[in-house]
Amino acid sequence: LSSLTRRISISVLNNYISEHIMQAVEQIGIPTHFLKRLNDREQLIRKLEIIPVEVVVRNVAAGSICPRLGIEEGSALPNTLVEFCLKDDVLGDPIIAAEHIITFGWASADELDVIYDYTLRINDFLTGLFYGIGVRLIDFKLEFGRFYHDQDAADDPVIMLADEISPDNCRLWDAQTNEKMDKDRFRRDLGGLVEAYQEIAKRLGVSIPDLDQ
Ligand code: UDP
């Protein structure tokens, strides 16, 4: 039973995929909270003060932007679109402008500049990384936080990428068929969720002990 449970676990797949991507993002010089994967389901991460903003990056129109702006799913956008949402479940994570972030002090203008720069670099890098394995990076969500080297020191904190990057918070479509290889398989009741996440892991060259066939 334990091997069956492990075999079908989306969380295990996300853990290994996110480890792989976070390490790759570190290698292009963007600091992340990721330190190491401890086991199938746990990772050691730096403790950050989370900035309460979800950064959504869109290369192709899909998901919530389609009904919101009356755009057809699958339309390539003429440029990368970065949207911000306030992380607040009670309010339903409302979309906000950069001005709201600065006005209400969720991040400073300087912090927002760093976040925006990191976000575009991550998008360029991941778009290429996924295209190289036959996958289109349609959109994804990032979160950032502040790392204090020394809680008592007056040093400015370092902005770091937080959360995870996995098929749970990215839209990934097969480049040949446009088949969905992400959480939308679950959201839209398409089935084949585990197989799709396993295929992403396989194409990325992520090795998962016992799950490898
Ligand atoms: N997303 C996420 N967490 C959220 C909201 C969105 O990871 O709370 C990701 C989602 O997986 C997609 C992108 O951000 O890759 C854009 O999501 P969208 O605004 O279209 O909302 P959704 O259709 O996912 O509700």
Side-chain angles (χ1 to χ4, degrees):
L1 179 66
S2 68
S3 81
L4 184 67
T5 311
R6 187 168 184 275
R7 187 171 294 275
I8 59 169
S9 174
I10 286 294
S11 49
V12 173
L13 284 158
N14 282 338
N15 193 17
Y16 281 83
I17 293 170
S18 191
E19 172 193 24
H20 181 84
I21 295 178
M22 283 292 194
Q23 285 177 334
V25 168
E26 280 275 353
Q27 289 201 349
I28 61 160
I30 293 173
T32 81
H33 73 165
F34 182 85
L35 292 172
K36 64 187 278 208
R37 187 179 47 76
L38 296 173
N39 54 45
D40 273 359
R41 292 169 191 277
E42 293 173 296
Q43 354 180 298
L44 186 67
I45 57 167
R46 291 189 183 85
K47 186 178 179 187
L48 305 189
E49 180 182 87
I50 291 292
I51 292 168
V53 172
E54 296 187 341
V55 182
V56 172
V57 185
R58 299 183 187 278
N59 297 309
V60 174
S64 69
I65 195 172
C66 296
R68 176 161 30 98
L69 299 181
I71 299 168
E72 198 181 332
E73 181 171 272
S75 322
L77 300 171
N79 51 261
T80 299
L81 183 62
V82 178
E83 297 178 334
F84 301 107
C85 296
L86 179 64
K87 267 173 73 72
D88 187 321
D89 287 342
V90 176
L91 297 178
D93 294 346
I95 191 162
I96 50 174
E99 280 90 338
H100 292 93
I101 298 174
I102 295 162
T103 299
F104 296 107
W106 294 313
S108 69
D110 285 349
E111 287 174 331
L112 205 51
D113 279 349
V114 174
I115 289 170
Y116 200 75
D117 173 55
Y118 284 175
T119 296
L120 294 183
R121 283 170 61 194
I122 292 168
N123 182 50
D124 281 350
F125 174 65
L126 290 185
T127 297
L129 183 114
F130 278 112
Y131 197 71
I133 59 164
V135 172
R136 296 172 72 199
L137 178 59
I138 304 300
D139 60 31
F140 59 102
K141 185 259 302 184
L142 300 175
E143 295 186 24
F144 293 89
R146 302 181 187 93
F147 177 67
Y148 293 88
H149 281 288
D150 179 349
Q151 295 287 348
D152 302 323
D155 293 352
D156 279 346
V158 179
I159 297 292
M160 291 189 179
L161 179 66
D163 197 38
E164 66 176 309
I165 302 182
S166 75
D168 262 11
N169 58 3
C170 300
R171 282 198 170 87
L172 303 169
W173 295 358
D174 182 89
Q176 298 295 320
T177 64
N178 277 331
E179 197 186 350
K180 297 180 199 308
M181 306 176 74
D182 55 57
K183 197 174 172 182
D184 271 350
R185 299 207 71 83
F186 168 77
R187 292 189 187 102
R188 300 183 188 192
D189 231 350
L190 297 171
L193 185 71
V194 175
E195 290 76 7
Y197 283 39
Q198 272 186 287
E199 178 65 18
I200 293 292
K202 189 173 141 205
R203 290 195 200 179
L204 282 170
V206 173
S207 160
I208 304 175
D210 296 336
L211 288 182
D212 295 339
Q213 302 293 325

